[in-house]
Amino acid sequence: MLTSRACGLAAGLMADALLGDPEHHHPVAWFGSWAHWLEQRMHADDTVRGTLYLAAVLAPLAGASIALELNSRRHPLTHAAVTALCTWAVVGAHSLSREGTLMAERLDLDDLDGARARLGNLCGRDPSGLDHEELARAAVESMAENTADAVVASLWWGALGGIPGLVLHRGINTLDAMVGHRTQRFAHFGTASARMDDLAALAPARITGLAACLLAPYVGGSTRESWRIMRRDARRHPSPNGGWCEAAWAGALGVQLGGRNVYARRTETRPLLGEGPRPRSPELRRAAALVGAVTASATAVAVLGLLATARLGTGRDRP
């Protein structure tokens, strides 16, 4: 089972690298539609109601994914194939790095309108008043945090929990994006979803930050400097997890992140992370390259770890 899981994770990441996200009928979009439909019927600005909503939305995912895991594991090739398909559906490394590169191309041409139009593919900030540096900053911060959410956390939970781990983590992270922000409508209703996502990302975010520090030389940075910045600045971020990723990216790129973020219904002013100038298009390209490097290293660690565990277990079974 662990060997087929490892093969499935590797194949799913390879599919993401070669094909990117499914262009039509994306399973995450289907889940989002279901979650929105149920939210419209269950909403009340109440923490208990939000907790019941979280359980109701995730219950079908849990049942379906557990059934897939139990039924497919009897046949290693089937198990590997189903794991690969689920991995491809939930991982978004290719899209992250691609959007960062496309944003850099728009900024290189001084096409601010084109860059603003692309920002919605990475995050929910209002791009209308953002200049070159603020657009690049928003993209770098989004790529850093989403490398943990859409890549490393998926690998972490996929390695630990197989198909249910992959599917349930993506469901939790999607709910956090939908109802986990402290808007007027979701101030209490989204609390359970936000807290669950924080717990699910606790280890993956720190692993992502560590990997970015170790791989900083790949994008022209310093591991020592990245580590210093991450340790100093990670806890300044309002998120218990996002700061580890954003501070590591800031250190690796030699830039400063953080500041004023404007969303549709709220404005946040976040502490500054890192030292140096604000990022521009060259740093944006390096940030996209770091996404790819962290993805490759995390995949290798997850796959090799599963294969080593499987081999150890086989050795113990021998007389």
Side-chain angles (χ1 to χ4, degrees), residues 24-35 174:
H24 305 288
H25 309 296
H26 199 302
V28 176
W30 293 344
F31 173 77
S33 297
W34 148 248
T174 302

Side-chain angles (χ1 to χ4, degrees), residues 56 71 76 91 109 114 126 129 136 144 160 170 203 227-228 230 233 239 245 256 296 305:
N71 289 318
V91 166
L109 297 171
D126 180 0
L160 291 179
R170 176 52 53 217
W227 177 254
R228 181 182 73 83
M230 184 180 72
D233 293 350
S239 164
C245 311
Q256 189 174 75

Side-chain angles (χ1 to χ4, degrees), residues 218-287:
Y218 177 76
V219 293
S222 162
T223 293
R224 178 178 292 181
E225 181 66 7
S226 301
W227 177 254
R228 181 182 73 83
I229 293 294
M230 184 180 72
R231 289 193 65 191
R232 186 192 72 184
D233 293 350
R235 292 182 178 86
R236 296 179 181 177
H237 197 282
S239 164
N241 300 316
W244 295 91
C245 311
E246 292 184 21
W249 253 254
L253 302 175
V255 298
Q256 189 174 75
L257 303 176
R260 185 171 179 266
N261 299 336
V262 179
Y263 300 90
R265 295 182 177 85
R266 71 188 194 282
T267 298
E268 297 179 1
T269 300
R270 295 182 177 179
L272 299 177
L273 309 176
E275 299 170 356
R278 291 303 215 183
R280 296 182 65 84
S281 57
E283 289 76 34
L284 192 47
R285 293 180 188 277
R286 291 166 58 208

Side-chain angles (χ1 to χ4, degrees), residues 10-225:
L13 265 295
M14 187 176 298
D16 177 70
L18 295 174
L19 304 174
D21 288 334
E23 292 186 8
H24 305 288
H25 309 296
H26 199 302
V28 176
W30 293 344
F31 173 77
S33 297
W34 148 248
H36 177 71
W37 179 87
L38 193 60
E39 182 266 319
Q40 294 294 307
R41 285 151 181 80
M42 289 189 66
H43 179 270
D45 193 21
D46 178 80
T47 303
V48 173
R49 183 69 68 90
T51 303
L52 293 174
Y53 166 76
L54 173 67
V57 173
L58 293 180
L61 281 188
S65 60
I66 291 171
L68 278 175
E69 177 75 24
L70 293 177
N71 289 318
S72 65
R73 69 169 56 175
R74 303 170 188 171
H75 308 284
L77 288 178
T78 301
H79 186 239
V82 176
T83 301
L85 186 62
C86 291
T87 303
W88 178 43
V90 304
V91 166
H94 178 86
S95 294
L96 279 179
S97 57
R98 178 175 179 271
E99 286 299 329
T101 301
L102 291 173
M103 175 80 76
E105 291 176 357
R106 294 294 94 202
L107 293 176
D108 283 341
L109 297 171
D110 202 27
D111 179 10
L112 293 184
D113 287 337
R116 289 167 183 152
R118 298 217 68 89
L119 186 61
N121 296 328
L122 285 170
C123 63
R125 297 181 198 176
D126 180 0
S128 58
L130 302 185
D131 61 11
H132 183 127
E133 292 180 351
E134 286 300 294
L135 286 164
R137 175 176 74 86
V140 170
E141 291 173 355
S142 179
M143 283 192 289
E145 189 166 0
N146 280 297
T147 300
D149 289 339
V151 182
V152 177
S154 295
L155 286 166
W156 171 267
W157 289 110
L160 291 179
I163 295 168
L166 287 165
V167 172
L168 285 172
H169 170 262
R170 176 52 53 217
I172 292 166
N173 188 244
T174 302
L175 288 178
D176 177 59
M178 293 178 65
V179 305
H181 299 293
R182 286 194 173 277
T183 61
Q184 184 175 356
R185 180 173 176 83
F186 299 127
H188 298 97
F189 184 79
T191 298
S193 296
R195 294 293 177 268
M196 182 69 76
D197 185 65
D198 287 342
L199 287 172
L202 201 65
R206 286 149 181 79
I207 293 169
T208 302
L210 175 60
C213 292
L214 293 173
L215 293 165
Y218 177 76
V219 293
S222 162
T223 293
R224 178 178 292 181
E225 181 66 7

